Amino acid sequence: MIASNENYSTTTSGVAQFISPEKPTMTPPQLYLPYNWATPTSDIAFVAKKSYLIIDGEKKYTTKTTLEISKTPDFSEIYFSGNSNWEEKSSEQSNYEIWLWYTVPISYFENGTYYWRVIAESIDPELEDGISEVRLFVIDGQSDAPGKT
């Protein structure tokens, strides 16, 4: 470290070490259902573990979670986006983790391949949102839904 005084003389001190507190990180949502390459034949339940930050040893859960479905793996065109119909479920078997369920009628989809992910909005504006892995599912027209052939 270099310092100067009013006479413009300088002195050098030893190296100082500065430690910043570690910034909490957003956990990305963990996807559960549908499995990768699933071929659903009825309404589709999208299930993911709710995201959180660890702050002072405590879990702080995200307040906004969005399901995105696209026909392209880079999500350049969103086919479906929803964030208001999530159901929260928790149980002793899941160690009281909070799971989110979002059901979309199969009749909403045409035949084809779809990619899906879940985005958890960070509760800290300085942090990036948590984004899950990308999975895909295939609608092949074999369902019992009205309008499917």
Side-chain angles (χ1 to χ4, degrees):
M1 184 178 283
I2 300 175
S4 64
N5 60 24
E6 59 192 37
N7 297 329
Y8 301 103
S9 62
T10 59
T11 58
T12 305
S13 69
V15 175
Q17 182 177 6
F18 297 96
I19 300 175
S20 303
E22 191 172 311
K23 202 175 206 180
T25 56
M26 188 78 187
T27 61
Q30 293 179 334
L31 305 183
Y32 184 64
L33 292 173
Y35 297 118
N36 214 21
W37 287 98
T39 53
T41 58
S42 61
D43 293 350
I44 306 168
F46 295 89
V47 182
K49 188 186 291 186
K50 192 168 187 176
S51 295
Y52 57 86
L53 292 171
I54 302 281
I55 301 175
D56 298 327
E58 224 178 292
K59 287 182 182 177
K60 305 288 184 186
Y61 286 94
T62 185
T63 55
K64 183 178 178 184
T65 304
T66 302
L67 168 65
E68 287 188 339
I69 301 172
S70 177
K71 287 190 165 192
T72 59
D74 64 357
F75 290 81
S76 57
E77 293 182 36
I78 303 298
Y79 186 81
F80 176 88
S81 179
N83 60 28
S84 61
N85 291 330
W86 289 102
E87 289 181 56
E88 289 190 3
K89 298 184 181 186
S90 179
S91 69
E92 188 174 357
Q93 290 92 349
S94 67
N95 201 21
Y96 295 102
E97 294 288 348
I98 299 174
W99 291 89
L100 301 171
W101 296 64
Y102 198 114
T103 303
V104 179
I106 196 164
S107 60
Y108 188 83
F109 301 98
E110 304 166 345
N111 289 345
T113 300
Y114 294 87
Y115 301 86
W116 70 283
R117 67 182 177 188
V118 175
I119 299 173
E121 187 175 286
S122 177
I123 57 176
D124 181 338
E126 294 183 20
L127 298 179
E128 296 286 320
D129 294 341
I131 302 175
S132 73
E133 66 179 306
V134 174
R135 288 194 182 170
L136 66 89
F137 63 96
V138 178
I139 303 296
D140 64 6
Q142 301 301 312
S143 74
D144 297 329
K148 297 290 178 194
T149 55

